[in-house]
Amino acid sequence: MKLYLVPTPIGNLDDITLRAIKVLQSVDAILAEDTRNSGVLLKHLGINKPLYAHHAHNEHHGTQGIIKLLKEGKVLALVSDAGTPAISDPGFLLVRECLKQGVEVECLPGATAFVPALVNSGLPADRFTFEGFLPHKKGRQTRLKNLVEEERTIIFYESPHRLLKTLEQLAEYLGSDRQACVSRELTKIFEENRRGTLAEILTHYQLNPNTIKGEIVIIVAGKD
């Protein structure tokens, strides 16, 4: 019995590792955040395995069923739509329960969006804090206030329809002159890394709202 956490490409399907392919070929079944998205990847790789949904809406009540399969001797792989499972994606609850139940867990190295975004931002990468997605409503302002004095580089994930609001609030709480970088469509043909102050980046996207597409990573410099 074993659970593998298998990172998947964040855009370019050729970024899958050879080891990830071997693991996906060897397991009894694959748990996927969205079986349709993962099905495209598996078809691209020529892998035909049973595919089960494991996402944010069913992970609480579905975990025990997965544990049961693992304790019956099954070897399973968990993948998210893109990147490493449990990083702003489902996976943490299952991993925690596996460890409680004595099920072996192994995470493969591989793609995750914030690393290339951080490195190519030009901002300090020796010390950083990963904030993931900000709360949509409750706790959002508290989280932002707590980051005002943060000296490390700050990393956020954001969706296209919330980007402008988030940039406005980051400028309000952290300062409009704070250096930042917005990365979107990483590893894809239309990858963009927009660097400058929060005010400059906000103005750009206000004037070019049609370019706000794809998954987004926001990197913000820490307080001087």
Side-chain angles (χ1 to χ4, degrees):
M1 59 180 181
K2 186 170 185 176
L3 175 68
Y4 284 100
L5 306 180
V6 181
T8 54
I10 60 175
N12 191 321
L13 296 185
D14 289 339
D15 288 337
I16 190 80
T17 68
L18 294 175
R19 186 177 171 208
I21 294 172
K22 290 178 181 178
V23 168
L24 293 175
Q25 290 171 331
S26 69
V27 296
D28 295 303
I30 298 170
L31 309 171
E33 182 182 3
D34 187 320
T35 55
R36 295 166 299 181
N37 291 337
S38 296
V40 172
L41 174 63
L42 295 176
K43 184 177 181 180
H44 175 75
L45 298 173
I47 296 173
N48 184 19
K49 292 287 180 178
L51 202 57
Y52 302 112
H54 183 73
H55 46 69
H57 302 294
N58 74 353
E59 63 177 333
H60 283 86
H61 66 261
T63 295
Q64 291 307 316
I66 296 171
I67 295 295
K68 184 175 182 294
L69 286 175
L70 289 162
K71 287 204 162 186
E72 289 173 354
K74 300 293 185 183
V75 177
L76 304 178
L78 173 65
V79 299
S80 61
D81 285 350
T84 301
I87 301 296
S88 291
D89 278 318
F92 164 70
L93 294 177
L94 179 57
V95 169
R96 182 175 64 180
E97 191 61 26
C98 282
L99 297 177
K100 285 182 179 178
Q101 299 291 334
V103 175
E104 185 179 359
V105 176
E106 183 173 350
C107 182
L108 276 61
T112 190
F114 77 79
V115 173
L118 171 63
V119 172
N120 71 33
S121 71
L123 297 173
D126 54 334
R127 297 174 66 242
F128 57 88
T129 179
F130 176 71
E131 290 293 319
F133 289 96
L134 287 167
H136 295 170
K137 294 180 180 179
K138 185 178 180 181
R140 187 179 178 92
Q141 291 186 352
T142 300
R143 181 83 68 86
L144 288 166
K145 288 177 181 177
N146 289 339
L147 292 171
V148 170
E149 300 299 322
E150 177 59 65
E151 297 179 351
R152 296 169 293 181
T153 301
I154 311 167
I155 303 169
F156 303 94
Y157 282 168
E158 195 49 275
S159 62
H161 64 279
R162 290 195 182 89
L163 177 63
L164 291 179
K165 175 184 177 181
T166 297
L167 289 174
E168 288 172 356
Q169 291 181 319
L170 289 173
E172 176 186 352
Y173 284 90
L174 305 183
S176 60
D177 60 345
R178 189 80 68 97
Q179 289 293 314
C181 178
V182 170
S183 296
R184 62 178 191 83
E185 300 281 63
L186 286 167
T187 77
K188 297 180 182 179
I189 294 174
F190 299 107
E191 175 177 331
E192 178 186 53
N193 298 283
R194 178 66 52 178
R195 304 173 183 89
T197 65
L198 284 169
E200 290 169 342
I201 296 172
L202 173 59
T203 298
H204 169 79
Y205 285 115
Q206 286 173 332
L207 295 174
N208 301 277
N210 60 311
T211 66
I212 305 176
K213 301 175 182 177
E215 297 300 315
I216 294 168
V217 186
I218 305 172
I219 311 292
V220 184
K223 182 179 180 182
D224 293 335

